């Protein structure tokens, strides 16, 4: 696979930040047993990763804007391009020593996501996509799963946690979906949920009230792998509103139908 200059910029930044996250994750595993726990250390690791990403991306594309979860915001001279970055998606997993987290980078150009990257530095799985050029896991082309029956599907979701989101609605949605599918999963890193969906590892995904940096990197992976990603009204800019439904054409439609029933009940 021949990578574009743009993807190379994103990959170099992600690999550099990934090296420090991987080192810090090793430390977290030790801190786990201390009474105080690794909370502050993880916050610092998160910020360190964002600083690296911000600096690397700025060095290669000085004019582009930058929005990062840890507060990094830069207005570029080039108003048409913005990096949307989550330096550590899956913080709870990271904090608990669960090796399922990622760096997520999306590039927005004039209201569209045109490139995306999701990188798990522990498994060294690098998911990348550019508009019109396909989605890849390392060098291998990705395709969403072809299953057509919900009854055969493994479906991933996100759940509201302490003090966040609409718990009652989430419970109704789960009650609507769980009995109709082969398996329900909650992995804890939305960017990897989208990347794994693009890789055909499961069949559909939904989550509400995400942030742009949870979605931007993974959204284009799914689309370039032949899948559908929208909000609950079928709008095609879900990273703006934060509600996401994804799958192949059939799974996306069927899941959306179940979720709408749940919302009305
Ligand atoms: C979180 C993860 C998680 C999702 C949460 C996000 P963070 O991001 O993507 O899967 O359910 O809503 O906030 O906080 O780990 O970067
Ligand atoms: Ca996140
Ligand atoms: Ca984060």
């Amino acid at each position: 696979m021949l990578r574009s200059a743009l993807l190379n910029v994103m990959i170099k930044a992600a690999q550099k930040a990934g090296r420090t996250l991987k080192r810090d994750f090793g430390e977290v595993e030790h801190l786990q047993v201390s009474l105080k726990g690794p909370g502050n250390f993880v916050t610092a690791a998160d910020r360190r990763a964002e600083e690296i990403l911000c600096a690397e991306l700025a060095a290669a594309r000085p004019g582009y804007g930058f929005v990062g979860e840890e507060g990094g915001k830069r207005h570029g001279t080039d108003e048409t391009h913005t990096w949307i970055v989550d330096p550590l998606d899956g913080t709870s997993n990271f904090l608990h020593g669960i090796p399922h987290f990622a760096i997520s980078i999306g590039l927005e150009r004039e209201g569209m996501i045109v490139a995306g990257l999701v990188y798990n530095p522990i498994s060294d799985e690098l998911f990348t996509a550019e508009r019109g050029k396909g989605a890849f896991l390392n060098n291998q082309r990705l395709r969403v799963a072809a299953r057509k029956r919900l009854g055969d599907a493994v479906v991933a979701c996100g759940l509201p946690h302490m003090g966040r989101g609409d718990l009652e609605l989430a419970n109704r949605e789960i009650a609507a979906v769980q009995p109709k599918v082969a398996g329900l999963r909650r992995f804890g890193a939305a960017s990897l949920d989208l990347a794994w969906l693009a890789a055909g590892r499961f069949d559909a995904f939904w989550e509400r009230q995400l942030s742009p940096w949870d979605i931007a990197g993974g959204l284009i992976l799914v689309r370039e792998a032949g899948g559908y990603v929208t909000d609950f009204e079928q709008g095609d800019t879900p990273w703006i509103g934060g509600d996401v439904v994804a799958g192949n054409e059939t799974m996306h439609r069927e899941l959306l139908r179940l979720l709408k029933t749940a919302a009305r009940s």
Side-chain angles (χ1 to χ4, degrees):
M1 166 204 176
L2 207 60
R3 283 176 174 147
S4 71
L6 181 70
L7 270 189
N8 280 329
V9 163
M10 295 164 70
I11 292 168
K12 185 166 166 258
Q15 285 177 335
K16 186 162 182 195
R19 279 194 291 278
T20 70
L21 273 188
K22 189 174 172 179
R23 206 172 44 235
D24 289 341
F25 184 67
E27 195 59 33
V28 163
E29 289 180 306
H30 293 127
L31 290 171
Q32 217 58 257
V33 290
S34 74
L35 205 55
K36 202 163 134 257
N40 291 339
F41 178 81
V42 170
T43 309
D46 207 346
R47 294 209 178 116
R48 257 196 302 277
E50 181 161 312
E51 276 160 25
I52 292 171
L53 291 162
C54 190
E56 285 288 313
L57 294 171
R61 293 289 185 277
Y64 290 13
F66 181 96
V67 183
E69 177 167 25
E70 294 313 306
K73 207 171 171 62
R74 194 183 52 234
H75 286 287
T77 48
D78 172 353
E79 302 219 328
T80 58
H81 287 90
T82 306
W83 300 112
I84 305 177
V85 171
D86 193 338
L88 171 53
D89 185 43
T91 322
S92 287
N93 286 345
F94 187 96
L95 184 71
H96 288 263
I98 300 169
H100 188 79
F101 56 86
I103 289 165
S104 172
I105 305 175
L107 179 63
E108 189 180 50
R109 177 188 298 148
E110 294 175 330
M112 266 192 308
I113 305 296
V114 294
L117 170 152
V118 175
Y119 177 53
N120 177 342
I122 305 302
S123 63
D124 203 25
E125 287 192 316
L126 175 68
F127 299 88
T128 54
E130 264 185 288
R131 200 172 144 78
K133 296 186 182 168
F136 294 84
L137 164 52
N138 300 327
N139 289 321
Q140 181 197 330
R141 183 93 190 231
L142 297 181
R143 195 75 211 149
V144 291
R147 285 184 202 88
K148 296 237 184 285
R149 286 165 22 91
L150 269 182
D152 297 328
V154 170
V155 177
C157 63
L159 300 173
H161 41 86
M162 217 162 55
R164 276 184 51 184
D166 187 337
L167 192 59
E168 213 201 300
L169 174 59
N171 285 337
R172 289 208 302 278
E173 290 179 341
I174 286 166
V177 176
Q178 201 169 4
K180 303 270 196 234
V181 299
L184 200 55
R185 302 284 186 273
R186 199 305 188 222
F187 292 110
S191 63
L192 282 172
D193 288 331
L194 291 165
W196 282 29
L197 176 70
R201 291 179 182 170
F202 53 78
D203 303 282
F205 168 64
W206 91 94
E207 182 158 2
R208 289 182 183 268
Q209 295 193 21
L210 287 167
S211 297
W213 40 79
D214 300 317
I215 303 171
L219 168 128
I220 188 166
L221 295 170
V222 176
R223 289 191 178 155
E224 287 296 320
Y228 285 60
V229 193
T230 68
D231 60 27
F232 284 54
E233 307 309 320
Q234 309 227 41
D236 62 6
T237 55
W239 70 96
I240 294 171
D243 296 343
V244 173
V245 186
N248 69 25
E249 187 180 5
T250 314
M251 289 296 169
H252 174 263
R253 188 182 58 238
E254 292 298 304
L255 180 59
L256 204 51
R257 188 176 53 77
L258 287 180
L259 294 170
K260 288 218 158 138
T261 325
R264 280 196 299 267
S265 64

